[in-house]
Amino acid sequence: TQLLEQSPQFLSIQEGENLTVYCNSSSVFSSLQWYRQEPGEGPVLLVTVVTGGEVKKLKRLTFQFGDARKDSSLHITAAQPGDTGLYLCAGALDSGSARQLTFGSGTQLTVLP
Amino acid sequence: NAGVTQTPKFRILKIGQSMTLQCAQDMNHNYMYWYRQDPGMGLKLIYYSVGAGITDKGEVPNGYNVSRSTTEDFPLRLELAAPSQTSVYFCASRDRGRRNTEAFFGQGTRLTVV
């Protein structure tokens, strides 16, 4: 059982469309991060959210941390082919060892020109 | 800047063979991690370390061993390779002190067991 579940697993959209990716858990996290991974490369950090209800914007990307710190979402406005990649959420648990960084199951996004 | 360096980049093993995947970081990070990633999937934590001499199991430790004799190096050992260990392996490191520090990844080792 995956501690962090992402949905959808695959998403293929046309350039210019909007989309939302979800990251859900039954556990409470002290922080959640979103990474993007391109083929043949390691993941690269996009953003970190630490406060329940927090919203962060990075150009056309909007990240939200749930009020209870159990879930997060990533919204992309007017998607572009350059947004194509594997999006991963990652969390440090609120209880026990916050040093253990757990990743979600991933969302493979394809933006068609 | 080197960051996190993994070697080798590719390897083919026969069933039952052993090998060590090397990982080194030059950022003086205390926390280091080994993950495996199957095609189109997320990362599963194999082992992690919070400092030299300290290692802990992650979600999928069976069939693997690690050691952390220095802050810089965190090798992953496969003793008896099995086809189920065919995967891409990523090493990562991050700073300690705050819970929300960025993880830096190596470029991965693609391992095939035949």
Side-chain angles (χ1 to χ4, degrees), chain A residues 43-113:
Chain A
V44 175
L45 181 68
L46 294 173
V47 78
T48 301
V49 285
V50 298
T51 306
E54 182 178 2
V55 177
K56 277 193 176 178
K57 291 192 175 184
L58 188 66
K59 296 184 181 179
R60 293 176 294 100
L61 279 60
T62 301
F63 304 86
Q64 185 161 7
F65 201 9
D67 291 341
R69 291 184 290 131
K70 292 182 178 182
D71 54 86
S72 181
S73 63
L74 157 61
H75 182 80
I76 301 179
T77 304
Q80 298 177 1
D83 295 327
T84 293
L86 180 67
Y87 288 82
L88 297 157
C89 63
L93 285 172
D94 195 35
S95 60
S97 173
R99 302 163 295 185
Q100 188 175 132
L101 189 61
T102 301
F103 279 80
S105 44
T107 295
Q108 181 63 54
L109 172 65
T110 303
V111 183
L112 304 168

Side-chain angles (χ1 to χ4, degrees), chain B residues 4-25:
Chain B
V4 178
T5 303
Q6 286 185 240
T7 55
K9 285 189 168 51
F10 303 93
R11 184 71 185 269
I12 298 175
L13 278 183
K14 293 185 178 179
I15 294 171
Q17 285 186 321
S18 301
M19 78 163 293
T20 299
L21 282 67
Q22 301 291 345
C23 176
Q25 53 94 6

Side-chain angles (χ1 to χ4, degrees), chain B residues 82-103:
Chain B
S84 61
Q85 293 177 305
T86 294
S87 190
V88 180
Y89 292 83
F90 286 99
C91 177
S93 74
R94 66 181 183 129
D95 199 5
R96 73 169 184 181
R98 291 176 296 140
R99 295 178 176 182
N100 55 342
T101 56
E102 177 178 0

Side-chain angles (χ1 to χ4, degrees), chain A residues 2 9 30-31 33 35 37 40-43 45 48 50 86 88 92 94 97-105, chain B residues 31 33 35 37 40-45 48 50 56-59 90 94 99-103 105-107 110:
Chain A
Q2 198 86 19
Q9 187 176 359
S30 62
S31 64
Q33 298 175 319
Y35 289 78
Q37 185 180 20
E41 302 288 331
L45 181 68
T48 301
V50 298
L86 180 67
L88 297 157
D94 195 35
S97 173
R99 302 163 295 185
Q100 188 175 132
L101 189 61
T102 301
F103 279 80
S105 44
Chain B
Y31 298 168
Y33 305 83
Y35 295 91
Q37 185 176 37
M41 304 297 287
L43 302 170
K44 291 189 177 180
L45 182 63
Y48 68 104
V50 300
D56 278 297
K57 295 179 180 179
E59 306 167 72
F90 286 99
R94 66 181 183 129
R99 295 178 176 182
N100 55 342
T101 56
E102 177 178 0
F105 285 82
Q107 290 212 306
R110 185 175 295 274

